[in-house]
Amino acid sequence: MILELYVAHVEGRALAVSQLCALSGGSMTTALRHIEDLEALGYIVRNPDPVDRRRANVAMLPRLHSAVEQWLDLQITAYRLQISKTTPN
C-alpha cells in the first residue's frame, strides 16, 4: 500500500481509498484498518474527492514520502553492493 501511495504521489495522481484497498491484496476491512493506522500516525491524509463527494482520496504526507525515499535509497545501495561483489573485474 505504501508503494502504491508513493507511485501515485510521484505521478501526481489521486488515489481513492477504495482503489488502495483493492491494490492491497487483502480484505477491505484489513486494508481500511491499515489506512486508519497510517492516518493516525500522520503518514497519510484522506480528503473528499472534488468530483465525486461520495469517494475519498488518500495522499501521502511528506513525512512518509521522505521515509520511502530513504528506504528506496538504501535498497538501491544494497543492490549495487551486491552486484559489485558478483561482477568480475
Side-chain angles (χ1 to χ4, degrees):
M1 291 173 69
I2 291 173
L3 288 176
E4 291 293 344
L5 285 163
Y6 178 80
V7 170
H9 178 82
V10 169
E11 292 178 349
R13 63 179 166 83
L15 185 61
V17 170
S18 58
Q19 287 175 299
L20 186 58
C21 289
L23 291 168
S24 76
S27 72
M28 180 71 86
T29 304
T30 300
L32 285 171
R33 186 171 56 250
H34 290 308
I35 290 170
E36 289 170 4
D37 291 344
L38 289 169
E39 188 174 32
L41 291 168
Y43 291 128
I44 63 172
V45 64
R46 281 190 267 191
N47 295 309
D49 186 308
V51 176
D52 184 349
R53 303 295 263 170
R54 296 170 296 174
R55 293 173 27 135
N57 292 327
V58 61
M60 176 179 279
L61 292 173
R63 179 177 174 193
L64 182 57
H65 183 263
S66 176
V68 172
E69 294 262 308
Q70 289 175 7
W71 179 80
L72 288 171
D73 288 343
L74 288 171
Q75 297 305 308
I76 291 167
T77 300
Y79 175 76
R80 287 180 179 157
L81 285 172
Q82 182 181 6
I83 293 298
S84 69
K85 289 180 183 177
T86 60
T87 305
N89 290 334

